Amino acid sequence: MRRVQVLVYEHDSRLTGLLGERAAARNWWLREVRHAGACLRLLQGGGAGVLVLKVGRDLEREFVLLERVARRFPDTATVLVGDADNPTLAALAWDLGARYVLAPPQPREQLPDLVAALMGPAAPTPTTETP
């Protein structure tokens, strides 16, 4: 059985840190990527899940990645995370295929619950019961 993956495209590991505990508890494959090419290759391998895309360093490159992921991997939900409340960028993200835009005044601490909701119901945890 293939594990679903959560990819985090960022440069400072903060969002990956927010997701680490939930990923471990749910058996998600949590991967931090820093290059668009690596992100696309990992998605090509299957295991559609969620891409968390931190924007703000290079908006053109980040929005091109968002559009490519939405077009090539429609089963992958993309969460765009921004540092500023910018309705114009949020609208562009929606138009390019983001499933959710997380930006102020929404707290980043919502990210684990948001990703869990996008991943769908958790698979049952195996138990060992003795008769």
Side-chain angles (χ1 to χ4, degrees), residues 126-131:
T127 59
T128 54
E129 295 181 15
T130 53

Side-chain angles (χ1 to χ4, degrees), residues 11-70:
H11 293 279
D12 59 14
S13 301
R14 290 180 184 170
L15 300 177
T16 304
L18 279 174
L19 293 167
E21 188 176 314
R22 182 75 55 99
R26 298 274 179 104
N27 198 31
W28 299 334
W29 186 32
L30 180 63
R31 300 285 304 255
E32 182 178 342
V33 293
R34 295 181 185 219
H35 301 284
C39 181
L40 295 171
R41 280 190 297 281
L42 286 168
L43 289 171
Q44 212 165 22
V50 175
L51 168 64
V52 177
L53 176 58
K54 172 71 171 68
V55 297
R57 272 190 123 185
D58 184 342
L59 290 174
E60 183 178 352
R61 182 175 298 172
E62 294 153 355
F63 277 92
V64 166
L65 177 59
L66 171 63
E67 186 274 331
R68 284 184 181 161
V69 169

Side-chain angles (χ1 to χ4, degrees), residues 74-91:
D75 292 338
T76 299
T78 303
V79 177
L80 185 118
V81 179
D83 288 329
D85 182 12
N86 187 325
T88 303
L89 288 181

